[in-house]
Amino acid sequence: MKVLTSTPPVNNCAESNTKIALIAEGGGQRGIFTAGVLDAWLEDNFDPFDIFIGTSAGSQNITSFLSRQKGYAKYFISELSSSKRFYQLGRGLVGGNVVDLDWYFDKTIQGVFAIDFAAATKSLGQRELLITATNSRDRQGYFLSPNGEKNQWRRLLQASSALPFLYKQGVKIAPKLSVSSTDQAQAVTDDPKDDIYLDGGLAAPLPVRESYRRGATKIVVIRTVNNELHTQAAWVHKLKSWIYVSGYCPKMIDYLVQHEQAYQKELAFIANPPEGVEIIQIFAEDNLQSKILGSTDIDLQHDYRAGIIAGNAFLKTQ
């Protein structure tokens, strides 16, 4: 495990006043590394967090962690996201969806792939869970809080994962949710119609600043990129190549530019946090082998084991 800590001079606040946040980055199938980290923590009953914020695959991983279903996220990623029913690049080239998110997230509420949303709600308790999504109307990042009802929670997870090139229509979310803008931090309760939301990574790819706005002074970030802090997320590189091949609409390129700008703001905050704020980043010791989509089973197993190792190594520092 590689752990990078940003810690400026600490003030004299009592430890009991420390608010701890967990941030889980997205990254498609590379999220199986995060699944390994969190499974290691579940094995040790480690959960000191006050705030949880997940983006895309990160929101799925945090939900699995809260449901206390050890091994669930690994199973979900390695089985469902590898299915030919879920991912077919050729569908996008003829006007369809590259990924079938409707089928994918329907599985979270039925059968062997069902998430125990009731258990997740119970373990969350009075703590704060935020799922990032990008509003297609104003292109701002929003932080959506599930109300505990499994269908609503499922739709928030789907919205957070809805990359516009891969899943073109986005996800309709009712306006009367507790959501806030990345830059304006205002509730959206007066919109007369439902809004369409897209992948949270477009506008809030690494929402460390939001956890600080909400009072966190110790922030743990599980990363799905290599520890070269100024690189783009892996899914951006892959998505760009698909877009250029397909000749897809320029609006998608605009979203990627927006993503990169938001990403750089977060990296700058991580590199130079405010006084008294500790930021701990968890990376794999070696390069992750999996991709956003289309990973081999061997690569997924490698990255899951890397996550277990990283999670256990982190526990030794606590």
Side-chain angles (χ1 to χ4, degrees):
M1 178 195 72
K2 293 181 186 288
V3 175
L4 298 183
T5 305
S6 302
T7 315
V10 180
N11 60 26
N12 294 321
C13 292
E15 181 67 23
S16 60
N17 293 328
T18 298
K19 204 170 185 179
I20 307 174
L22 174 63
I23 311 296
E25 188 175 22
Q29 289 183 325
R30 293 167 69 89
I32 202 163
F33 169 76
T34 304
V37 173
L38 296 179
D39 277 352
W41 294 355
L42 285 177
E43 184 69 25
D44 200 62
N45 295 314
F46 178 78
D47 181 6
F49 305 104
D50 305 292
I51 302 170
F52 302 88
I53 310 182
T55 293
S56 194
S59 65
Q60 299 171 45
N61 270 305
I62 285 179
T63 298
S64 175
F65 178 69
L66 288 170
S67 74
R68 303 307 192 230
Q69 291 171 280
K70 181 175 175 289
Y72 173 88
K74 174 196 174 187
Y75 185 50
F76 200 72
I77 293 171
S78 61
E79 295 294 326
L80 285 189
S81 70
S82 297
S83 168
K84 291 182 180 179
R85 170 68 187 270
F86 174 64
Y87 166 55
Q88 291 183 32
L89 183 57
R91 286 194 302 239
L93 301 178
V94 294
N97 289 317
V98 174
V99 296
D100 190 344
L101 282 188
D102 299 310
W103 171 80
Y104 183 83
F105 282 103
D106 282 348
K107 292 292 186 181
T108 65
I109 57 173
Q110 60 185 347
V112 297
F113 291 104
I115 296 175
D116 192 341
F117 287 105
T121 300
K122 182 178 179 180
S123 66
L124 179 64
Q126 299 302 308
R127 298 181 293 175
E128 197 169 14
L129 168 62
L130 304 167
I131 296 172
T132 70
T134 302
N135 190 312
S136 64
R137 174 172 51 85
D138 60 13
R139 295 175 60 174
Q140 292 291 311
Y142 286 76
F143 298 86
L144 293 76
S145 297
N147 60 16
E149 198 278 315
K150 65 180 182 181
N151 283 306
Q152 185 255 11
W153 197 325
R154 173 192 58 121
R155 287 191 67 77
L156 299 191
L157 294 176
Q158 184 171 349
S160 187
S161 304
L163 275 170
F165 175 73
L166 303 181
Y167 183 76
K168 297 177 181 177
Q169 64 264 38
V171 178
K172 193 176 288 188
I173 300 292
K176 294 187 180 299
L177 289 169
S178 175
V179 301
S180 63
S181 165
T182 48
D183 292 320
Q184 300 170 22
Q186 64 183 37
V188 177
T189 57
D190 57 355
D191 194 337
K193 62 183 183 307
D194 293 354
D195 276 341
I196 302 298
Y197 285 86
L198 304 169
D199 193 287
L202 297 172
L206 197 62
V208 177
R209 290 183 301 157
E210 186 66 24
S211 67
Y212 172 68
R213 289 190 188 104
R214 293 172 183 262
T217 53
K218 182 174 182 178
I219 304 168
V220 180
V221 191
I222 306 176
R223 305 293 302 276
T224 55
V225 297
N226 300 326
N227 68 332
E228 298 145 355
L229 296 185
H230 297 285
T231 187
Q232 288 180 324
W235 65 265
V236 176
H237 291 294
K238 187 66 175 176
L239 196 56
K240 278 184 176 179
S241 68
W242 286 340
I243 292 168
Y244 292 142
V245 168
S246 69
Y248 192 58
C249 105
K251 184 177 180 181
M252 186 60 221
I253 301 298
D254 292 340
Y255 274 123
L256 294 184
V257 171
Q258 177 183 2
H259 159 86
E260 180 59 16
Q261 291 172 345
Y263 204 73
Q264 292 303 323
K265 286 180 181 179
E266 299 293 345
L267 292 179
F269 182 87
I270 290 172
N272 187 28
E275 179 181 345
V277 175
E278 179 185 16
I279 301 175
I280 303 169
Q281 300 182 85
I282 299 175
F283 297 89
E285 181 67 33
D286 300 314
N287 291 343
L288 294 178
Q289 302 299 309
S290 52
K291 301 176 288 188
I292 174 176
L293 288 168
S295 308
T296 68
D297 185 63
I298 292 175
D299 289 342
L300 292 171
Q301 294 298 327
H302 171 278
D303 290 353
Y304 177 74
R305 289 193 298 270
I308 292 286
I309 292 169
N312 284 326
F314 177 81
L315 291 175
K316 292 178 181 178
T317 70
Q318 300 307 294

